[in-house]
């Protein structure tokens, strides 16, 4: 309750509206219940949105469960049905997440709220580190991004379970959470239990570390903006700009540019080689980097970017 209240006080003004992404699971149930308790004074307008993916045979039952609980809480619920279509080599999990975020972004509310907690943050951080995503990936999920809020990032799942039991809030369990083919489920079931047994506070401590990585990433973005020298943060980008910078700062600028365009950086070896070619290429050379989601190529002294889809 304190975490949610502090997040609302920091970001939302009196009379603004907040929609909670509500799956019916433990985490979002706790968040919705806490938000409704806090909004009883009438200062914040609360609603809920449930994204119906249709991926489980239980999807209709989950939507019904959410509707019944929202009736109990007397909170408006919007059920949005989406078609999950993976793009650019992404898996079904990533495609479903993208569909959820698109539905949430389209909601009319002033603020959107998700129930990611400290254990989610730790899993995301470790997942990104083993994928080699660097400081930006180690920063995992921010508490606030635009109009999206995650007030529970410093709270463990165990604390949410205690809250749900003490407040007798019903929740559902998604059977796909037991499928160890999904990396997050594997980390949750096989990696974190022995870690937590040895280091009981590891989830909260990793979440705190992710927050510090986020601060470092923000500083690197500030450096990238300085290195643009007043140029707009968009492609095409002059090749000479990367040649004038040190190699480390050139890589940092290109990573930042891709992030600002919603594109994931390539692995370090491919990024390093692309930047090396840019810095050493003669006038007759045209370095190029092709990935499933986008392409980067050099032509007429400019670095160009194009999405593959």
């Amino acid at each position: 309750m304190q975490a949610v209240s502090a997040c609302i006080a920091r970001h939302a003004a009196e009379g603004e509206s907040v929609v909670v992404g509500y799956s019916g699971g433990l985490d979002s149930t706790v968040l919705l219940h806490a938000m409704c308790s806090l909004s009883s004074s009438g200062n914040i307008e609360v609603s809920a949105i449930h994204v119906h993916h249709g991926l489980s045979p239980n999807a209709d039952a989950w939507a019904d469960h959410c509707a019944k609980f929202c009736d109990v809480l007397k909170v408006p619920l919007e059920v949005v049905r989406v078609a999950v279509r993976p793009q650019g080599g992404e898996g079904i999990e990533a495609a479903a997440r993208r569909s959820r975020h698109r539905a949430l972004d389209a909601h009319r509310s002033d603020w959107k709220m998700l129930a990611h907690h400290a254990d989610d943050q730790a899993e995301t951080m470790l997942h990104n580190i083993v994928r080699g995503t660097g400081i930006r990936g180690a920063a995992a999920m921010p508490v606030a991004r635009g109009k999206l809020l995650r007030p529970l990032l410093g709270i463990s799942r165990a604390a949410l379970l205690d809250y749900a039991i003490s407040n007798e809030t019903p929740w559902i369990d998604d059977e796909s959470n037991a499928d160890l083919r999904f990396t997050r489920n594997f980390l949750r079931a096989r990696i974190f239990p022995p870690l937590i047994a040895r280091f009981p506070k590891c989830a909260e401590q990793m979440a705190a570390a992710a927050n510090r990585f986020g601060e470092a990433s923000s500083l690197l973005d500030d450096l990238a903006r300085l290195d643009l020298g007043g140029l707009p943060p968009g492609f095409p980008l002059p090749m000479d700009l990367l040649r004038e910078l040190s190699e480390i700062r050139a890589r940092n600028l290109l990573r930042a540019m891709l992030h600002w365009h919603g594109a994931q950086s390539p692995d370090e070896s491919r990024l390093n080689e692309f930047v090396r070619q840019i810095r050493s290429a003669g006038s007759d050379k045209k370095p190029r980097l092709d990935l499933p989601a986008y392409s980067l190529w050099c032509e007429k002294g400019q670095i160009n970017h194009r999405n593959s889809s």
Side-chain angles (χ1 to χ4, degrees), residues 33-62:
H33 185 275
M35 276 299 302
C36 289
S37 299
L38 288 169
S39 68
S40 59
S41 63
N43 293 334
I44 294 290
E45 177 190 336
V46 180
S47 62
I49 181 172
H50 175 80
V51 179
H52 186 304
H53 302 96
L55 297 175
S56 167
N58 298 310
D60 289 338
W62 295 342

Side-chain angles (χ1 to χ4, degrees), residues 207-220:
N211 185 58
R212 294 193 290 273
F213 280 124
E215 292 177 351
S217 180
S218 179
L219 291 174
L220 289 174

Side-chain angles (χ1 to χ4, degrees), residues 88-273:
E90 67 182 355
I92 193 72
E93 195 177 22
R97 184 167 56 250
R98 178 169 48 79
S99 297
R100 287 195 299 274
H101 279 276
R102 183 183 296 119
L104 196 63
D105 290 342
H107 197 274
R108 66 186 183 284
S109 61
D110 297 308
W111 297 92
K112 336 289 181 174
M113 194 172 280
L114 293 176
H116 296 111
H117 48 73
D119 297 54
D120 293 325
Q121 185 77 314
E123 291 164 9
T124 301
M125 176 183 175
L126 184 57
H127 185 200
N128 288 346
I129 287 174
V130 298
R131 289 170 55 226
T133 54
I135 290 178
R136 195 182 302 280
M141 298 175 285
V143 172
R145 191 193 71 231
K147 292 296 184 177
L148 178 65
L149 303 175
R150 296 184 176 95
L152 303 180
L153 284 183
I155 309 297
S156 69
R157 186 180 190 278
L160 300 186
L161 181 60
D162 288 343
Y163 179 100
I165 292 172
S166 63
N167 288 278
E168 299 181 344
T169 57
W171 71 88
I172 58 175
D173 289 312
D174 184 340
E175 73 276 358
S176 69
N177 289 334
D179 190 342
L180 299 187
R181 291 176 299 175
F182 296 124
T183 301
R184 290 178 183 276
N185 294 345
F186 173 78
L187 292 173
R188 187 177 305 130
R190 298 289 176 82
I191 303 301
F192 274 95
L195 269 178
I196 293 172
R198 184 66 178 266
F199 307 102
K201 293 290 185 180
C202 78
E204 293 96 324
Q205 290 168 346
M206 290 177 72
N211 185 58
R212 294 193 290 273
F213 280 124
E215 292 177 351
S217 180
S218 179
L219 291 174
L220 289 174
D221 280 353
D222 289 344
L223 178 62
R225 292 185 184 93
L226 288 174
D227 286 340
L228 278 172
L231 291 174
F235 291 101
L237 186 70
M239 293 173 64
D240 284 345
L241 187 58
L242 267 63
R243 291 167 174 159
E244 293 165 0
L245 297 170
S246 67
E247 190 166 344
I248 294 174
R249 289 173 70 160
R251 291 199 298 267
N252 179 64
L253 175 57
L254 193 54
R255 286 192 204 98
M257 291 284 291
L258 290 170
H259 173 70
W260 296 335
H261 282 73
Q264 183 175 320
S265 292
D267 62 69
E268 282 298 289
S269 61
R270 297 189 71 179
L271 179 73
N272 293 351
E273 177 60 19

Side-chain angles (χ1 to χ4, degrees), residues 14 23 28 43 71 73 85 127 131 172 178 188 192 207 232 243 263 276 295:
E14 185 172 336
S23 68
S28 61
N43 293 334
D71 283 343
L73 295 178
R85 298 187 178 93
H127 185 200
R131 289 170 55 226
I172 58 175
R188 187 177 305 130
F192 274 95
R243 291 167 174 159
R276 187 198 66 77
S295 296

